Amino acid sequence: MSKLITLNEFIQTNQADFPFATGELSRLLNDIAVASKIVSRDVRKAGLVDHILGAQGNQNVQGEDQQKLDVVADEAFIKAFEQGGEVCGIASEENDDFVAFKSEQAKNGKYVVLFDPLDGSSNIDVNVSIGTIFSIYRRISPVGTEATLEDMLQPGTAQVAAGYVLYGSSTMLVYTTGKGVNGFTLDPSIGEYCLSHPSMKMPENGRLYAMNEGNIFECEEGLRKYINYCQSRENQTGMPYSGRYIGSLVADFHRNLIKGGIYIYPDVLSAPEGKLRLLYECNPLAFIAEQAGGLATTGRKRILEIKPERLHQRTPYYTGSKLMMEKAMECLAK
Ligand code: AHG
Ligand code: MN
Ligand code: MN
């Protein structure tokens, strides 16, 4: 049996890979892991809380009001970042504005974190996989001061680390610091993330496509051509590809990372800039996709090179296996 490597051990061993490594990024990744275990525990009892405890006037056993899971997740991560001391500020999909932490320790933090505390919220109530997505940058503002909007609005190329936690049939944490992608599975019996997917590579090609096809007549001609191509026998496999759409980006992305595939959320009439958020969803997963050998674009332009103008900026999003992405972009360009 090969030796079990915990996330903690892995982070320590690879710490020297980080630019300017002084241990803070390692501690920050550990803070994320701990917060994600709390969220994982709460996700695992979602049905119990809603249907058993919730029946008693929406208060839990401690007499606290029940909260929706995305608020629970948002608070768990913010608390971890605020208390950890490595982070001077955060921006979250759940908050209108970014938060600059006020303590002296936080003002000395070198990093900012941008995150989607619970991705796939519409799947919470129906017991389908959801996740957390995070993106870490070095601050631009001087150490010792409060975080600024400029710290948050950096292009994806400036990310020092990014990752996601998938609360699926098991809980997994996948992350990159720009030296490949590694995946860890939470062993609930010992409460540790263990290295289960070392050096993850997205297959160069695939036969799975993920798109909300309810929008097919709302999107541009070139994309309809690509979807026709996926459904025809004219593609590389000579057989129609399979459509797979979970409706939690993080879960659709994870499946494609392992099996090969493409995920598409285009601009549509009802969402002319696309639906997904550049800073909390698209950039972190684009960093991972590229690190695993895949691509992530707007359909035309590399996601990581977009200079963000607004915190909650949206973008059309195409990500997945290299050859599938190239074909999709070729259809759009025509
Ligand atoms: P969130 O739950 O964080 O708001 O994100 C939901 C996103 C994404 O996870 C998913 O792929 C997409 O919305 C689904 O949108 P449609 O229901 O429009 O397909
Ligand atoms: Mn989301
Ligand atoms: Mn969300």
Side-chain angles (χ1 to χ4, degrees), residues 96-290:
D96 292 344
D97 209 350
F98 72 95
V99 180
F101 296 139
K102 305 288 178 214
S103 75
E104 286 311 311
Q105 192 195 16
K107 283 190 214 160
N108 285 317
K110 294 199 183 103
Y111 297 98
V112 293
V113 185
L114 289 80
F115 65 106
D116 178 355
L118 263 199
D119 174 64
S121 308
S122 67
N123 279 325
I124 296 173
D125 294 342
V126 290
N127 209 349
V128 172
S129 299
I130 49 181
T132 299
I133 310 174
F134 61 89
S135 181
I136 303 174
Y137 296 83
R138 283 179 75 81
R139 70 188 299 173
I140 293 174
S141 56
V143 171
T145 63
E146 281 186 24
T148 63
L149 181 60
E150 198 194 3
D151 294 326
M152 310 293 160
L153 298 183
Q154 301 187 51
T157 46
Q159 290 174 101
V160 292
Y164 60 84
V165 182
L166 178 63
Y167 312 106
S169 41
S170 58
T171 295
M172 268 194 82
L173 189 151
V174 174
Y175 82 98
T176 182
T177 54
K179 305 261 178 204
V181 180
N182 291 282
F184 300 79
T185 303
L186 181 63
D187 181 337
S189 65
I190 55 170
E192 291 275 8
Y193 282 107
C194 303
L195 181 63
S196 52
H197 296 64
S199 302
M200 296 175 86
K201 289 276 168 260
M202 190 178 263
E204 195 179 40
N205 211 346
R207 49 175 314 282
L208 299 175
Y209 71 97
M211 177 189 158
N212 180 346
E213 283 187 78
N215 290 327
I216 196 75
F217 296 111
E218 303 267 304
C219 60
E220 63 184 293
E221 176 71 23
L223 176 53
R224 286 205 289 277
K225 284 210 177 98
Y226 178 67
I227 298 295
N228 276 337
Y229 167 85
C230 292
Q231 295 170 340
S232 74
R233 287 174 178 259
E234 309 304 313
N235 61 49
Q236 297 106 318
T237 62
M239 288 290 287
Y241 294 165
S242 290
R244 292 281 184 280
Y245 190 70
I246 296 168
S248 297
L249 166 66
V250 64
D252 280 307
F253 179 87
H254 182 71
R255 181 204 53 239
N256 289 350
L257 174 60
I258 290 178
K259 295 194 167 180
I262 188 168
Y263 176 95
I264 301 171
Y265 210 113
D267 49 316
V268 288
L269 289 178
S270 55
E273 297 183 325
K275 177 179 183 189
L276 299 176
R277 264 82 187 255
L278 174 63
L279 296 179
Y280 317 114
E281 294 166 320
C282 305
N283 268 338
L285 297 183
F287 190 18
I288 294 174
E290 288 194 3

Side-chain angles (χ1 to χ4, degrees), residues 3-77:
K3 184 184 174 304
L4 185 141
I5 300 171
T6 65
L7 174 63
N8 207 308
E9 208 180 326
F10 185 88
I11 291 172
Q12 297 303 329
T13 313
N14 293 283
Q15 184 169 305
D17 283 349
F18 306 149
F20 328 101
T22 52
E24 279 138 306
L25 185 57
S26 297
R27 285 198 294 280
L28 173 51
L29 289 167
N30 274 318
D31 293 344
I32 291 175
V34 172
S36 76
K37 287 182 204 172
I38 294 170
V39 175
S40 178
R41 180 200 63 197
D42 289 348
V43 165
R44 300 290 170 220
K45 60 183 186 190
L48 291 170
V49 171
D50 289 349
H51 297 296
I52 301 174
L53 297 178
Q56 315 198 345
N58 275 345
Q59 289 204 327
N60 67 15
V61 278
Q62 283 93 38
E64 297 159 336
D65 287 339
Q66 295 296 330
Q67 289 179 304
K68 280 185 73 95
L69 264 180
D70 27 21
V71 178
V72 170
D74 193 42
E75 287 175 352
F77 280 98

